[in-house]
Short mmCIF file of all heavy atoms in Angstrom, two decimals:
data_model
loop_
_atom_site.label_atom_id
_atom_site.label_comp_id
_atom_site.label_asym_id
_atom_site.label_seq_id
_atom_site.Cartn_x
_atom_site.Cartn_y
_atom_site.Cartn_z
N MET A 1 124.58 18.04 95.80
CA MET A 1 123.41 17.26 96.16
C MET A 1 122.41 18.12 96.93
O MET A 1 121.22 18.04 96.68
CB MET A 1 123.82 16.05 96.97
CG MET A 1 122.65 15.17 97.28
SD MET A 1 123.25 13.57 97.82
CE MET A 1 121.77 12.88 98.38
N LEU A 2 122.87 18.93 97.86
CA LEU A 2 121.96 19.79 98.62
C LEU A 2 121.26 20.78 97.69
O LEU A 2 120.08 21.05 97.84
CB LEU A 2 122.71 20.53 99.73
CG LEU A 2 121.86 21.42 100.62
CD1 LEU A 2 120.75 20.62 101.28
CD2 LEU A 2 122.72 22.08 101.68
N LYS A 3 121.98 21.29 96.70
CA LYS A 3 121.38 22.21 95.75
C LYS A 3 120.22 21.53 95.01
O LYS A 3 119.16 22.14 94.81
CB LYS A 3 122.42 22.71 94.75
CG LYS A 3 121.88 23.71 93.77
CD LYS A 3 122.94 24.19 92.81
CE LYS A 3 122.33 25.19 91.83
NZ LYS A 3 123.29 25.62 90.84
N ASP A 4 120.40 20.28 94.63
CA ASP A 4 119.32 19.54 93.97
C ASP A 4 118.10 19.45 94.87
O ASP A 4 116.96 19.62 94.42
CB ASP A 4 119.77 18.13 93.59
CG ASP A 4 120.78 18.13 92.46
OD1 ASP A 4 120.87 19.13 91.74
OD2 ASP A 4 121.49 17.12 92.33
N TYR A 5 118.31 19.17 96.13
CA TYR A 5 117.19 19.06 97.07
C TYR A 5 116.49 20.39 97.24
O TYR A 5 115.26 20.46 97.28
CB TYR A 5 117.68 18.55 98.43
CG TYR A 5 116.60 18.58 99.46
CD1 TYR A 5 115.60 17.61 99.48
CD2 TYR A 5 116.54 19.60 100.41
CE1 TYR A 5 114.58 17.65 100.41
CE2 TYR A 5 115.52 19.64 101.34
CZ TYR A 5 114.55 18.67 101.34
OH TYR A 5 113.54 18.71 102.25
N LYS A 6 117.25 21.47 97.34
CA LYS A 6 116.64 22.79 97.52
C LYS A 6 115.80 23.19 96.32
O LYS A 6 114.80 23.87 96.46
CB LYS A 6 117.73 23.83 97.80
CG LYS A 6 118.37 23.69 99.17
CD LYS A 6 119.49 24.65 99.36
CE LYS A 6 118.96 26.01 99.74
NZ LYS A 6 120.01 26.96 100.11
N GLU A 7 116.21 22.79 95.14
CA GLU A 7 115.49 23.17 93.93
C GLU A 7 114.40 22.17 93.55
O GLU A 7 113.38 22.55 93.01
CB GLU A 7 116.47 23.34 92.78
CG GLU A 7 117.40 24.52 93.00
CD GLU A 7 118.48 24.64 91.93
OE1 GLU A 7 118.46 23.85 90.97
OE2 GLU A 7 119.33 25.53 92.08
N ASN A 8 114.60 20.91 93.81
CA ASN A 8 113.65 19.85 93.43
C ASN A 8 113.29 19.03 94.66
O ASN A 8 113.72 17.89 94.80
CB ASN A 8 114.26 18.95 92.35
CG ASN A 8 114.65 19.72 91.12
OD1 ASN A 8 113.84 20.46 90.59
ND2 ASN A 8 115.88 19.57 90.68
N LYS A 9 112.51 19.62 95.53
CA LYS A 9 112.15 18.93 96.78
C LYS A 9 111.30 17.70 96.46
O LYS A 9 110.36 17.77 95.67
CB LYS A 9 111.41 19.88 97.70
CG LYS A 9 112.29 21.01 98.19
CD LYS A 9 111.51 21.94 99.08
CE LYS A 9 112.36 23.02 99.66
NZ LYS A 9 112.86 23.98 98.70
N PRO A 10 111.61 16.58 97.09
CA PRO A 10 110.88 15.35 96.79
C PRO A 10 109.54 15.27 97.54
O PRO A 10 109.33 15.95 98.53
CB PRO A 10 111.82 14.26 97.31
CG PRO A 10 112.51 14.92 98.46
CD PRO A 10 112.71 16.35 98.03
N THR A 11 108.65 14.45 97.04
CA THR A 11 107.44 14.07 97.76
C THR A 11 107.66 12.65 98.25
O THR A 11 108.06 11.78 97.48
CB THR A 11 106.20 14.13 96.83
OG1 THR A 11 106.01 15.48 96.42
CG2 THR A 11 104.96 13.62 97.53
N ILE A 12 107.44 12.44 99.53
CA ILE A 12 107.66 11.13 100.14
C ILE A 12 106.30 10.59 100.58
O ILE A 12 105.59 11.24 101.33
CB ILE A 12 108.62 11.24 101.35
CG1 ILE A 12 109.96 11.82 100.87
CG2 ILE A 12 108.79 9.88 102.02
CD1 ILE A 12 110.88 12.23 102.00
N GLU A 13 105.97 9.40 100.11
CA GLU A 13 104.68 8.79 100.44
C GLU A 13 104.88 7.49 101.22
O GLU A 13 105.73 6.68 100.89
CB GLU A 13 103.89 8.50 99.18
CG GLU A 13 103.51 9.76 98.41
CD GLU A 13 102.60 9.49 97.25
OE1 GLU A 13 101.68 8.63 97.38
OE2 GLU A 13 102.79 10.13 96.21
N ALA A 14 104.08 7.34 102.26
CA ALA A 14 104.05 6.11 103.05
C ALA A 14 102.57 5.72 103.20
O ALA A 14 101.69 6.41 102.69
CB ALA A 14 104.71 6.32 104.41
N ASN A 15 102.30 4.65 103.91
CA ASN A 15 100.92 4.18 104.06
C ASN A 15 100.00 5.22 104.68
O ASN A 15 98.86 5.35 104.27
CB ASN A 15 100.87 2.91 104.90
CG ASN A 15 101.48 1.73 104.17
OD1 ASN A 15 101.55 1.72 102.95
ND2 ASN A 15 101.92 0.75 104.92
N ARG A 16 100.49 5.96 105.67
CA ARG A 16 99.61 6.85 106.42
C ARG A 16 99.97 8.33 106.32
O ARG A 16 99.32 9.15 106.96
CB ARG A 16 99.60 6.43 107.88
CG ARG A 16 99.01 5.03 108.05
CD ARG A 16 99.10 4.52 109.45
NE ARG A 16 98.64 5.48 110.43
CZ ARG A 16 98.73 5.30 111.73
NH1 ARG A 16 99.24 4.18 112.19
NH2 ARG A 16 98.31 6.22 112.56
N VAL A 17 100.96 8.66 105.52
CA VAL A 17 101.37 10.06 105.46
C VAL A 17 102.00 10.38 104.09
O VAL A 17 102.60 9.51 103.46
CB VAL A 17 102.36 10.41 106.59
CG1 VAL A 17 103.68 9.69 106.41
CG2 VAL A 17 102.56 11.90 106.72
N ILE A 18 101.80 11.60 103.66
CA ILE A 18 102.47 12.10 102.46
C ILE A 18 103.17 13.39 102.86
O ILE A 18 102.54 14.32 103.37
CB ILE A 18 101.47 12.39 101.32
CG1 ILE A 18 100.74 11.11 100.91
CG2 ILE A 18 102.19 13.02 100.14
CD1 ILE A 18 99.63 11.34 99.91
N LEU A 19 104.47 13.43 102.65
CA LEU A 19 105.26 14.63 102.94
C LEU A 19 105.63 15.25 101.61
O LEU A 19 106.23 14.60 100.76
CB LEU A 19 106.54 14.26 103.71
CG LEU A 19 106.34 13.55 105.04
CD1 LEU A 19 107.69 13.13 105.61
CD2 LEU A 19 105.59 14.44 106.01
N LYS A 20 105.23 16.50 101.43
CA LYS A 20 105.54 17.17 100.18
C LYS A 20 105.92 18.62 100.46
O LYS A 20 105.58 19.16 101.52
CB LYS A 20 104.39 17.09 99.19
CG LYS A 20 103.08 17.64 99.68
CD LYS A 20 102.00 17.36 98.65
CE LYS A 20 100.64 17.80 99.16
NZ LYS A 20 99.61 17.53 98.16
N PRO A 21 106.61 19.25 99.53
CA PRO A 21 107.02 20.64 99.74
C PRO A 21 105.80 21.55 99.93
O PRO A 21 104.75 21.34 99.33
CB PRO A 21 107.75 20.99 98.44
CG PRO A 21 108.15 19.69 97.85
CD PRO A 21 107.09 18.72 98.26
N MET A 22 105.96 22.55 100.79
CA MET A 22 104.88 23.49 101.01
C MET A 22 104.84 24.52 99.89
O MET A 22 105.88 24.94 99.38
CB MET A 22 105.08 24.20 102.35
CG MET A 22 104.80 23.31 103.52
SD MET A 22 104.66 24.24 105.03
CE MET A 22 106.25 23.90 105.74
N VAL A 23 103.63 24.88 99.53
CA VAL A 23 103.42 25.91 98.51
C VAL A 23 102.37 26.89 99.06
O VAL A 23 101.65 26.59 100.02
CB VAL A 23 102.94 25.32 97.17
CG1 VAL A 23 104.03 24.46 96.53
CG2 VAL A 23 101.68 24.50 97.33
N VAL A 24 102.28 28.05 98.47
CA VAL A 24 101.37 29.09 98.95
C VAL A 24 99.93 28.57 99.02
O VAL A 24 99.19 28.93 99.93
CB VAL A 24 101.47 30.34 98.05
CG1 VAL A 24 100.42 31.36 98.42
CG2 VAL A 24 102.85 30.96 98.15
N GLU A 25 99.54 27.71 98.12
CA GLU A 25 98.17 27.17 98.12
C GLU A 25 97.84 26.39 99.39
O GLU A 25 96.68 26.20 99.72
CB GLU A 25 97.94 26.29 96.89
CG GLU A 25 97.89 27.05 95.58
CD GLU A 25 99.26 27.46 95.05
OE1 GLU A 25 100.28 26.89 95.46
OE2 GLU A 25 99.31 28.38 94.22
N HIS A 26 98.82 25.93 100.12
CA HIS A 26 98.58 25.21 101.37
C HIS A 26 98.21 26.15 102.52
O HIS A 26 97.70 25.70 103.55
CB HIS A 26 99.82 24.41 101.80
CG HIS A 26 100.17 23.30 100.87
ND1 HIS A 26 101.45 22.86 100.70
CD2 HIS A 26 99.41 22.54 100.06
CE1 HIS A 26 101.46 21.88 99.82
NE2 HIS A 26 100.23 21.67 99.42
N ALA A 27 98.46 27.42 102.37
CA ALA A 27 98.26 28.38 103.45
C ALA A 27 96.84 28.37 104.00
O ALA A 27 96.64 28.40 105.21
CB ALA A 27 98.64 29.78 103.00
N ALA A 28 95.85 28.31 103.14
CA ALA A 28 94.46 28.33 103.60
C ALA A 28 94.16 27.15 104.52
O ALA A 28 93.48 27.30 105.54
CB ALA A 28 93.52 28.33 102.40
N ASP A 29 94.67 25.97 104.20
CA ASP A 29 94.45 24.79 105.05
C ASP A 29 95.18 24.91 106.38
O ASP A 29 94.69 24.46 107.41
CB ASP A 29 94.90 23.52 104.33
CG ASP A 29 94.06 23.22 103.10
OD1 ASP A 29 92.85 23.57 103.10
OD2 ASP A 29 94.60 22.65 102.14
N LEU A 30 96.36 25.49 106.36
CA LEU A 30 97.17 25.59 107.57
C LEU A 30 96.69 26.67 108.52
O LEU A 30 97.04 26.66 109.70
CB LEU A 30 98.63 25.82 107.22
CG LEU A 30 99.30 24.65 106.50
CD1 LEU A 30 100.69 25.03 106.05
CD2 LEU A 30 99.35 23.44 107.41
N LYS A 31 95.87 27.60 108.06
CA LYS A 31 95.38 28.68 108.91
C LYS A 31 94.67 28.14 110.16
O LYS A 31 94.66 28.78 111.18
CB LYS A 31 94.39 29.57 108.15
CG LYS A 31 95.03 30.61 107.33
CD LYS A 31 93.95 31.49 106.73
CE LYS A 31 94.54 32.54 105.86
NZ LYS A 31 93.49 33.39 105.27
N GLN A 32 94.08 26.98 110.04
CA GLN A 32 93.33 26.41 111.16
C GLN A 32 94.20 26.17 112.38
O GLN A 32 93.73 26.24 113.50
CB GLN A 32 92.68 25.09 110.73
CG GLN A 32 91.63 25.27 109.68
CD GLN A 32 91.06 23.92 109.23
OE1 GLN A 32 91.31 22.89 109.83
NE2 GLN A 32 90.29 23.95 108.16
N TRP A 33 95.47 25.86 112.19
CA TRP A 33 96.30 25.53 113.35
C TRP A 33 97.64 26.25 113.39
O TRP A 33 98.28 26.30 114.44
CB TRP A 33 96.54 24.03 113.43
CG TRP A 33 97.20 23.45 112.23
CD1 TRP A 33 96.60 22.91 111.15
CD2 TRP A 33 98.61 23.36 111.96
NE1 TRP A 33 97.54 22.49 110.22
CE2 TRP A 33 98.79 22.76 110.71
CE3 TRP A 33 99.75 23.74 112.69
CZ2 TRP A 33 100.03 22.53 110.16
CZ3 TRP A 33 101.00 23.50 112.13
CH2 TRP A 33 101.13 22.90 110.89
N LEU A 34 98.09 26.82 112.33
CA LEU A 34 99.44 27.37 112.27
C LEU A 34 99.69 28.46 113.31
O LEU A 34 100.75 28.52 113.90
CB LEU A 34 99.72 27.91 110.87
CG LEU A 34 101.16 28.28 110.59
CD1 LEU A 34 102.07 27.07 110.74
CD2 LEU A 34 101.31 28.83 109.19
N GLY A 35 98.73 29.33 113.55
CA GLY A 35 98.94 30.42 114.49
C GLY A 35 98.57 30.11 115.92
O GLY A 35 98.62 30.99 116.79
N LEU A 36 98.23 28.88 116.22
CA LEU A 36 97.85 28.52 117.59
C LEU A 36 99.07 28.49 118.51
O LEU A 36 100.08 27.86 118.20
CB LEU A 36 97.17 27.15 117.62
CG LEU A 36 95.86 27.02 116.87
CD1 LEU A 36 95.39 25.57 116.89
CD2 LEU A 36 94.80 27.93 117.48
N ASP A 37 98.96 29.17 119.64
CA ASP A 37 100.06 29.18 120.59
C ASP A 37 100.40 27.77 121.08
O ASP A 37 101.54 27.49 121.41
CB ASP A 37 99.76 30.10 121.77
CG ASP A 37 99.83 31.57 121.39
OD1 ASP A 37 100.62 31.91 120.48
OD2 ASP A 37 99.11 32.37 121.99
N GLU A 38 99.39 26.88 121.11
CA GLU A 38 99.64 25.52 121.57
C GLU A 38 100.68 24.81 120.72
O GLU A 38 101.46 24.01 121.21
CB GLU A 38 98.34 24.70 121.56
CG GLU A 38 97.33 25.15 122.58
CD GLU A 38 96.39 26.25 122.07
OE1 GLU A 38 96.62 26.80 120.96
OE2 GLU A 38 95.45 26.56 122.79
N ILE A 39 100.71 25.11 119.42
CA ILE A 39 101.70 24.51 118.52
C ILE A 39 103.10 24.96 118.89
O ILE A 39 104.05 24.19 118.93
CB ILE A 39 101.40 24.88 117.05
CG1 ILE A 39 100.01 24.40 116.63
CG2 ILE A 39 102.48 24.38 116.12
CD1 ILE A 39 99.82 22.91 116.61
N TYR A 40 103.23 26.24 119.21
CA TYR A 40 104.54 26.82 119.50
C TYR A 40 105.03 26.53 120.91
O TYR A 40 106.20 26.72 121.22
CB TYR A 40 104.51 28.33 119.23
CG TYR A 40 104.38 28.60 117.75
CD1 TYR A 40 103.14 28.64 117.14
CD2 TYR A 40 105.50 28.74 116.96
CE1 TYR A 40 103.02 28.84 115.77
CE2 TYR A 40 105.40 28.94 115.59
CZ TYR A 40 104.15 29.00 115.01
OH TYR A 40 104.04 29.18 113.67
N THR A 41 104.15 26.04 121.77
CA THR A 41 104.55 25.66 123.13
C THR A 41 105.71 24.68 123.10
O THR A 41 106.62 24.74 123.90
CB THR A 41 103.36 25.04 123.88
OG1 THR A 41 102.33 26.02 123.96
CG2 THR A 41 103.76 24.58 125.27
N TYR A 42 105.69 23.78 122.13
CA TYR A 42 106.75 22.77 122.02
C TYR A 42 108.08 23.38 121.61
O TYR A 42 109.11 22.77 121.73
CB TYR A 42 106.32 21.66 121.05
CG TYR A 42 105.12 20.92 121.56
CD1 TYR A 42 103.85 21.21 121.07
CD2 TYR A 42 105.25 19.98 122.57
CE1 TYR A 42 102.74 20.54 121.56
CE2 TYR A 42 104.14 19.32 123.07
CZ TYR A 42 102.89 19.60 122.56
OH TYR A 42 101.80 18.95 123.07
N TRP A 43 108.03 24.61 121.07
CA TRP A 43 109.25 25.32 120.72
C TRP A 43 109.65 26.28 121.83
O TRP A 43 110.62 27.02 121.71
CB TRP A 43 109.05 26.11 119.43
CG TRP A 43 108.88 25.25 118.22
CD1 TRP A 43 109.09 23.91 118.11
CD2 TRP A 43 108.48 25.68 116.92
NE1 TRP A 43 108.83 23.47 116.84
CE2 TRP A 43 108.45 24.54 116.09
CE3 TRP A 43 108.13 26.91 116.39
CZ2 TRP A 43 108.09 24.60 114.75
CZ3 TRP A 43 107.77 26.97 115.06
CH2 TRP A 43 107.76 25.83 114.26
N GLY A 44 108.86 26.29 122.93
CA GLY A 44 109.19 27.11 124.09
C GLY A 44 108.85 28.58 123.92
O GLY A 44 109.43 29.44 124.57
N ARG A 45 107.89 28.89 123.06
CA ARG A 45 107.49 30.29 122.86
C ARG A 45 106.09 30.35 122.26
O ARG A 45 105.51 29.33 121.90
CB ARG A 45 108.47 31.00 121.94
CG ARG A 45 108.51 30.41 120.54
CD ARG A 45 109.52 31.15 119.67
NE ARG A 45 109.60 30.63 118.33
CZ ARG A 45 108.78 30.91 117.33
NH1 ARG A 45 107.78 31.72 117.52
NH2 ARG A 45 108.95 30.39 116.14
N LYS A 46 105.55 31.57 122.15
CA LYS A 46 104.26 31.77 121.51
C LYS A 46 104.48 32.14 120.05
O LYS A 46 105.56 32.57 119.65
CB LYS A 46 103.49 32.89 122.22
CG LYS A 46 103.08 32.52 123.63
CD LYS A 46 102.20 33.61 124.20
CE LYS A 46 101.85 33.31 125.63
NZ LYS A 46 100.65 32.56 125.79
N ALA A 47 103.45 31.98 119.24
CA ALA A 47 103.52 32.35 117.83
C ALA A 47 103.62 33.86 117.70
O ALA A 47 102.96 34.60 118.42
CB ALA A 47 102.27 31.85 117.10
N THR A 48 104.47 34.32 116.80
CA THR A 48 104.57 35.75 116.53
C THR A 48 103.41 36.18 115.64
O THR A 48 102.73 35.33 115.05
CB THR A 48 105.90 36.09 115.82
OG1 THR A 48 105.88 35.48 114.53
CG2 THR A 48 107.10 35.61 116.62
N SER A 49 103.19 37.46 115.52
CA SER A 49 102.11 37.93 114.66
C SER A 49 102.36 37.52 113.21
O SER A 49 101.42 37.20 112.48
CB SER A 49 101.94 39.45 114.76
OG SER A 49 103.14 40.10 114.39
N GLY A 50 103.61 37.49 112.78
CA GLY A 50 103.93 37.03 111.43
C GLY A 50 103.62 35.56 111.22
O GLY A 50 103.18 35.15 110.15
N GLU A 51 103.86 34.75 112.23
CA GLU A 51 103.58 33.31 112.13
C GLU A 51 102.08 33.04 112.15
O GLU A 51 101.62 32.03 111.64
CB GLU A 51 104.26 32.56 113.27
CG GLU A 51 105.76 32.54 113.09
CD GLU A 51 106.51 32.13 114.33
OE1 GLU A 51 105.97 32.26 115.46
OE2 GLU A 51 107.66 31.70 114.19
N LYS A 52 101.32 33.95 112.74
CA LYS A 52 99.87 33.77 112.77
C LYS A 52 99.24 34.10 111.42
O LYS A 52 98.10 33.75 111.16
CB LYS A 52 99.26 34.64 113.87
CG LYS A 52 99.60 34.11 115.24
CD LYS A 52 98.92 34.87 116.33
CE LYS A 52 99.31 34.28 117.67
NZ LYS A 52 98.42 34.62 118.74
N ASN A 53 99.99 34.73 110.53
CA ASN A 53 99.51 35.03 109.18
C ASN A 53 100.20 34.05 108.23
O ASN A 53 101.29 34.30 107.74
CB ASN A 53 99.83 36.48 108.82
CG ASN A 53 99.30 36.84 107.46
OD1 ASN A 53 99.01 35.98 106.63
ND2 ASN A 53 99.16 38.13 107.21
N SER A 54 99.53 32.95 107.95
CA SER A 54 100.16 31.87 107.19
C SER A 54 100.54 32.27 105.77
O SER A 54 101.55 31.84 105.26
CB SER A 54 99.26 30.64 107.18
OG SER A 54 97.99 30.96 106.66
N GLU A 55 99.73 33.12 105.11
CA GLU A 55 100.07 33.51 103.74
C GLU A 55 101.37 34.29 103.70
O GLU A 55 102.23 34.05 102.86
CB GLU A 55 98.94 34.32 103.10
CG GLU A 55 97.84 33.44 102.56
CD GLU A 55 96.49 33.87 103.09
OE1 GLU A 55 96.42 34.86 103.84
OE2 GLU A 55 95.51 33.19 102.77
N THR A 56 101.53 35.22 104.63
CA THR A 56 102.77 36.00 104.69
C THR A 56 103.95 35.09 104.98
O THR A 56 105.01 35.22 104.38
CB THR A 56 102.66 37.08 105.79
OG1 THR A 56 101.56 37.91 105.50
CG2 THR A 56 103.92 37.91 105.87
N MET A 57 103.76 34.16 105.88
CA MET A 57 104.82 33.24 106.26
C MET A 57 105.26 32.40 105.06
O MET A 57 106.45 32.23 104.81
CB MET A 57 104.33 32.34 107.39
CG MET A 57 105.41 31.66 108.15
SD MET A 57 104.65 30.90 109.58
CE MET A 57 105.80 29.60 109.83
N PHE A 58 104.32 31.91 104.27
CA PHE A 58 104.66 31.11 103.10
C PHE A 58 105.34 31.93 102.04
O PHE A 58 106.33 31.52 101.47
CB PHE A 58 103.42 30.45 102.51
CG PHE A 58 103.08 29.15 103.15
CD1 PHE A 58 102.12 29.08 104.13
CD2 PHE A 58 103.74 28.01 102.80
CE1 PHE A 58 101.81 27.89 104.73
CE2 PHE A 58 103.45 26.80 103.38
CZ PHE A 58 102.48 26.74 104.37
N LYS A 59 104.82 33.10 101.74
CA LYS A 59 105.42 33.94 100.70
C LYS A 59 106.85 34.30 101.08
O LYS A 59 107.73 34.29 100.24
CB LYS A 59 104.58 35.20 100.50
CG LYS A 59 103.30 34.92 99.77
CD LYS A 59 102.45 36.16 99.64
CE LYS A 59 101.12 35.80 99.01
NZ LYS A 59 100.19 36.91 99.01
N LYS A 60 107.07 34.57 102.36
CA LYS A 60 108.42 34.91 102.84
C LYS A 60 109.36 33.71 102.68
O LYS A 60 110.46 33.84 102.19
CB LYS A 60 108.32 35.33 104.31
CG LYS A 60 109.56 35.91 104.88
CD LYS A 60 109.27 36.37 106.30
CE LYS A 60 110.44 37.03 106.94
NZ LYS A 60 110.14 37.43 108.32
N SER A 61 108.91 32.52 103.05
CA SER A 61 109.78 31.35 102.98
C SER A 61 110.00 30.90 101.54
O SER A 61 111.07 30.40 101.20
CB SER A 61 109.22 30.20 103.82
OG SER A 61 108.05 29.69 103.25
N LEU A 62 109.04 31.11 100.67
CA LEU A 62 109.20 30.70 99.28
C LEU A 62 110.10 31.66 98.51
O LEU A 62 110.74 31.28 97.54
CB LEU A 62 107.85 30.62 98.58
CG LEU A 62 106.96 29.46 99.03
CD1 LEU A 62 105.58 29.58 98.38
CD2 LEU A 62 107.58 28.12 98.68
N SER A 63 110.20 32.89 98.97
CA SER A 63 111.04 33.85 98.26
C SER A 63 112.50 33.73 98.63
O SER A 63 113.35 34.27 97.95
CB SER A 63 110.55 35.27 98.53
OG SER A 63 110.74 35.61 99.89
N SER A 64 112.82 33.03 99.70
CA SER A 64 114.22 32.90 100.12
C SER A 64 114.89 31.70 99.50
O SER A 64 114.35 30.90 98.85
CB SER A 64 114.33 32.83 101.62
OG SER A 64 113.55 31.81 102.16
#
C-alpha cells in the first residue's frame, strides 16, 4: 500500500484547500516564501542555502 502511495500520490480536495503532490513546476510559486527564515523558525532553525533554492530542492526530492 505504501508503494502505491509513493508512486501514485493522491490529490485531496476540500472546500478551502487542495493538497496535491509537488512537482518542479511549483518551484517558481514557492520561491516567494520557501527560503524565508521565518518559515524555518517553527522547525527551530534557519533555512539552508539549498532550501533557499527551491528548484534545486524540488529536483533533489523528485529524484529520490
Side-chain angles (χ1 to χ4, degrees):
M1 184 164 170
L2 182 57
K3 183 179 179 183
D4 290 340
Y5 173 77
K6 289 176 81 172
E7 293 175 4
N8 302 309
K9 293 179 176 68
T11 296
I12 301 169
E13 296 186 39
N15 291 337
R16 296 175 48 186
V17 67
I18 299 173
L19 302 174
K20 57 186 175 180
M22 288 193 258
V23 293
V24 173
E25 290 78 19
H26 294 151
D29 295 329
L30 294 173
K31 276 185 182 180
Q32 295 177 10
W33 59 268
L34 191 60
L36 297 175
D37 287 330
E38 292 88 352
I39 300 296
Y40 291 86
T41 298
Y42 297 100
W43 292 349
R45 63 181 179 82
K46 293 186 184 269
T48 65
S49 59
E51 290 165 338
K52 290 185 180 199
N53 183 341
S54 56
E55 278 128 2
T56 302
M57 198 170 153
F58 274 98
K59 286 177 185 173
K60 189 176 182 181
S61 68
L62 290 173
S63 66
S64 55

